[in-house]
Amino acid sequence: MTAGGTTRNGRALALKDVPSLEPSQFRGWLVNGVRDKGRRVVSYFGAASNAAGGTAAEGISLVAVLADDANGRLSIARTISDGTTFESVVPEVTQAHLFEREIAEQYGVRFEGHPWPKPVRFHHSYRKGYDAWGRSVDAQIPPGVLDFFRVEGDEVHEVAVGPVHAGVIEPGHFRFQCHGEQVFHLEIALGYQHRGIERALVGGPTKRTLPYMETAAGDTTIGHAMAYAQAVEALSGAVVSAHAHAVRGIALELERLANHVGDLGALAGDIAYLPTASYCGRLRGDFLNMTAELCGSRFGRGLVRPGGVGFDLSSDQVRDLRSRLTVARTDVTEAVELLWETPSVRERFEGTGTVSPDDAEALGLVGPAARACGIQRDVRHDFPAGIYRFVHLPVMTAHHGDVNSRAYVRWLEIQQSISFILSQLDGLPANGTRAAAGAMRPDALVVALTEGWRGEICHVAMTDAAGRFSRYKIIDPSFHNWFALALALRDGQISDFPLCNKSFNLSYCGHDL
Amino acid sequence: MLKALLARAHQGHRTMAYPAGAPPPMPERFRGLPALDPAKCPEGCRSCADVCPTDAIAKDGPLALDLGRCLFCVECVTACPEAAIAFTHDTRLATRRREDLVLTGQALPLADALEGKLCRLFGRSLNLRVVSAGDCNACSSDVNVLGTVGWDVGRFGIQYVASPRHADGLLITGPVTENMRLALQRTYDAVPPPKIVIAVGACAISGGPYAGHPEQHDGASSVLPIDLFIPGCPPHPLTILDGLLRLLGRLEEQRRVPRG
């Protein structure tokens, strides 16, 4: 079988060194890699044919990145499609399902043999005149209007929820096929948050590029900004100081803490266990406020910059942060341990919303959702970059794949993150906030991975002959994981949906971009 | 059970004293209301305007900064050779009119209370339906935070409700994506009159970093009439709370200092 090229997290390579395979070889390489070699689809995307170093005016480039988690290697290859049809790999590689749907929508390529060929974000194709569903250029594309999977029979009914749903939450549409309380099937239609980020990134960086990254998924500002910074640094050869690496690590773990703690509180709220809901609701804010001490923004805006960080950490701040964190650790421990000691909580969490390890592997889940199924998968461990090259974090797992496991993995990670930050504060390297990131290398490609609080964030940047972005692909962890929420609901009760949803807490805007 | 009670005693009462007492302190690096000093601008200098990601700064005439577009990043402050722009710790940013958000060095005309009947109707009880229309979940999160025990917005009679039919108005975040336009309009239509609309964050006011993208509509005012603008990216919870309380005429200082 033809080999792809090999690269590592955050290492730039010349486009010409990305093997260009014949379509059938490319497909074989992808299928063989996942099915036989146990690799995982990190990214699979389309690009204008000239963006990937080709010259053909017709057709499009397809680029795929596969992860060999055990060895910390990334396998990469590309091909040229004629731009009309391509043979789907989904019958053999389930986890490519949404990637192919996305390519179909963005570039108007029909994937033959795809079992579920539906739009993803409900927008017009990037290539005028090419549409995978044969829609005309001026046709309206109403969001959420698609051929939903339906179950029919006596007493089977359909429940439609969203895009505007109860609670302060981003919009999405959920279509349940129910038999009484029991959910036979859930289909999720997103795209309501689509703002056109990837389209706007081409030709950059511009002065808006960083704000795009920081708001791709605003609750993951540090995670996406770090992946972006890593990509730019690889392409420009900037050397980041040890101080900046440490501050980034602290900020990334604070982001994880705020979200994990907030979500544990929200899970408690969803089952009406108010003590933990109240305490964690407040404590989440304490962690956000620590991030604000670093950079003035509760969400970490302005902290991560290509070449380093926008703000350093003074010795006074180190002292202050250490004492705040120590207090927060005591409070969080008390608040969260109530969950595990309260039978009514365990009764609601255990066995609810179960995803099997086989399904988790087949879907290529990432982050706490994968680790809750016993899968050892964490970018900080498998593809360490920045501070994580020097400080090794163990991978936290649980084994039942249910709400309880997802909650418990979060709790284990909370403890890890606090210890990590405290140890970083103890030995913070002095000086050096930001090195200048110079011009980017032309005709190059880099894959940058970061373990955000939801899981693997993957950015793939490609540059043109002038060193500008010819394609910039963002994969938020939610992109891998949304389908797992649908599976988690199968045979469950529709009343458990809020609980299941919160246990994943996936990003709508990170998915919709 | 005993542990739950002990935890309750240890976690204590956490609702802040504000507005009766002092507001929570802002971190040293917090970026609130920008202070402009146009007198410091060197002749013909456009450094700030050139680096601003959202073109919030105009330098064609005297220095002007549009808070409705401002992301409160540090690009302009870093670029300015004369320190003509500085961020203060002032969290009060909300206005009733879009044009009031354009700073030229004057005091920001903070939001007045709702007029007559609306104030009587909503002043002590305001139910809001929150609609995220393309927001990045940062504005949503800090709107949501007002419901936690520390802020407890319920003590002012303000609630976020599940149905627009139970609401007195909408609170909108996000630039209003094309894919949310219809849903937003229908949610608005479902709110019984009289109703108000509040736009929270740079995206909902102007499109924020997405201004000009064909996938969105440059903010909520393109679709609906707006009664209150709360700028920020995202606004601090205190900024949001301040805006809501001003709109309802619930702040002491509003009553003490009549606006000229």
Side-chain angles (χ1 to χ4, degrees), chain A residues 168-184:
Chain A
V168 181
I169 185 169
E170 297 178 72
H173 182 79
F174 300 86
R175 193 70 71 95
F176 300 87
Q177 310 295 321
C178 295
H179 184 255
E181 271 284 288
Q182 192 186 6
V183 178
F184 284 160

Side-chain angles (χ1 to χ4, degrees), chain A residues 381-445:
Chain A
H381 178 270
D382 304 331
F383 299 94
I387 189 70
Y388 302 102
R389 281 180 292 155
F390 311 111
V391 184
H392 298 187
L393 292 179
V395 181
M396 295 290 133
T397 57
H399 299 275
H400 297 284
D402 55 4
V403 170
N404 195 69
S405 287
R406 285 187 288 276
Y408 201 72
V409 163
R410 305 253 211 145
W411 167 230
L412 296 173
E413 292 183 14
I414 287 168
Q415 300 170 68
Q416 283 292 327
S417 294
I418 293 177
S419 304
F420 169 88
I421 297 174
L422 287 173
S423 76
Q424 287 307 304
L425 292 175
D426 282 341
L428 194 68
N431 301 331
T433 52
R434 191 171 175 185
M440 295 194 298
R441 199 172 139 180
D443 295 319
L445 177 149

Side-chain angles (χ1 to χ4, degrees), chain B residues 29 35 85 105 125 145 168 178 203:
Chain B
R29 290 170 175 171
I85 305 178
S125 168
V145 132
D168 303 312
E178 167 57 19
C203 286

Side-chain angles (χ1 to χ4, degrees), chain B residues 37-51 57 59 63 74-86:
Chain B
D37 190 350
K40 285 185 179 170
C41 290
E43 189 67 29
C45 175
R46 290 188 48 87
S47 312
C48 54
D50 289 344
V51 296
I57 303 176
K59 276 293 289 159
L63 177 65
V74 288
E75 300 299 334
C76 54
V77 175
T78 314
C80 180
E82 299 294 336
I85 305 178

Side-chain angles (χ1 to χ4, degrees), chain A residues 64-391:
Chain A
V65 183
L66 306 180
D68 178 356
D69 292 326
N71 295 305
R73 299 290 176 92
L74 297 165
S75 184
I76 184 165
R78 60 186 161 132
T79 188
I80 295 279
S81 145
D82 68 3
T84 55
T85 57
F86 203 79
E87 190 183 349
S88 172
V89 299
V90 175
E92 285 117 318
V93 180
T94 309
Q95 59 192 269
H97 70 109
L98 199 56
F99 289 103
E100 287 191 352
R101 283 170 62 182
E102 181 187 50
I103 297 168
E105 186 170 58
Q106 292 182 337
Y107 292 92
V109 180
R110 270 183 297 114
F111 281 87
E112 289 179 339
H114 193 298
W116 203 258
K118 305 181 184 189
V120 182
R121 304 188 177 99
F122 300 91
H123 61 77
H124 281 285
S125 153
Y126 294 171
R127 288 197 309 152
K128 248 195 164 98
Y130 291 86
D131 187 283
W133 296 275
R135 300 168 299 196
S136 72
V137 178
D138 44 8
Q140 291 282 320
I141 303 182
V145 176
L146 54 84
D147 178 22
F148 286 102
F149 181 84
R150 295 190 71 163
V151 177
E152 298 195 347
D154 288 348
E155 297 178 34
V156 172
H157 65 280
E158 191 176 65
V159 179
V161 182
V164 178
H165 27 124
V168 181
I169 185 169
E170 297 178 72
H173 182 79
F174 300 86
R175 193 70 71 95
F176 300 87
Q177 310 295 321
C178 295
H179 184 255
E181 271 284 288
Q182 192 186 6
V183 178
F184 284 160
H185 182 74
L186 161 63
E187 187 168 349
I188 303 170
L190 301 175
Y192 297 93
Q193 301 279 67
H194 179 56
R195 297 154 289 168
I197 294 182
E198 283 190 358
R199 189 190 48 71
L201 284 168
V202 172
T206 67
K207 58 187 186 177
R208 284 202 195 175
T209 304
L210 260 166
Y212 288 143
M213 297 299 169
E214 293 189 328
T215 58
D219 52 26
T220 316
T221 295
I222 299 290
H224 277 285
M226 264 175 75
Y228 170 68
Q230 207 183 324
V232 172
E233 285 150 12
L235 289 166
S236 62
V239 178
V240 178
S241 74
H243 181 84
H245 275 316
V247 172
R248 285 180 181 182
I250 290 168
L252 187 70
E253 298 310 321
L254 281 176
E255 189 167 85
R256 194 180 322 278
L257 283 166
N259 284 291
H260 280 4
V261 169
D263 282 353
L264 289 178
L267 281 170
D270 277 340
I271 57 165
Y273 186 66
L274 297 186
T276 305
S278 301
Y279 309 149
C280 284
R282 168 184 72 85
L283 286 160
R284 171 181 172 276
D286 287 358
F287 290 111
L288 292 176
N289 289 340
M290 289 181 215
T291 299
E293 289 292 337
L294 296 184
C295 66
S297 156
R298 284 155 57 88
F299 292 86
R301 304 287 158 85
L303 182 61
V304 179
R305 289 291 177 261
V309 285
F311 299 89
D312 65 352
L313 201 47
S314 69
S315 51
D316 282 350
Q317 285 177 308
V318 167
R319 260 194 308 280
D320 173 62
L321 213 51
R322 191 187 289 123
S323 69
R324 284 170 178 240
L325 209 54
T326 310
V327 173
R329 172 151 70 179
T330 308
D331 288 1
V332 168
T333 304
E334 180 183 70
V336 174
E337 286 194 336
L338 287 177
L339 293 175
W340 323 127
E341 290 163 5
T342 306
S344 63
V345 172
R346 300 298 292 266
E347 162 64 22
R348 290 289 284 115
F349 280 11
E350 288 178 356
T352 304
T354 304
V355 178
S356 74
D358 287 349
D359 285 345
E361 284 287 6
L363 289 173
L365 298 193
V366 296
R371 296 193 281 275
C373 298
I375 297 175
Q376 300 263 344
R377 183 173 293 162
D378 188 323
V379 171
R380 293 172 295 173
H381 178 270
D382 304 331
F383 299 94
I387 189 70
Y388 302 102
R389 281 180 292 155
F390 311 111
V391 184

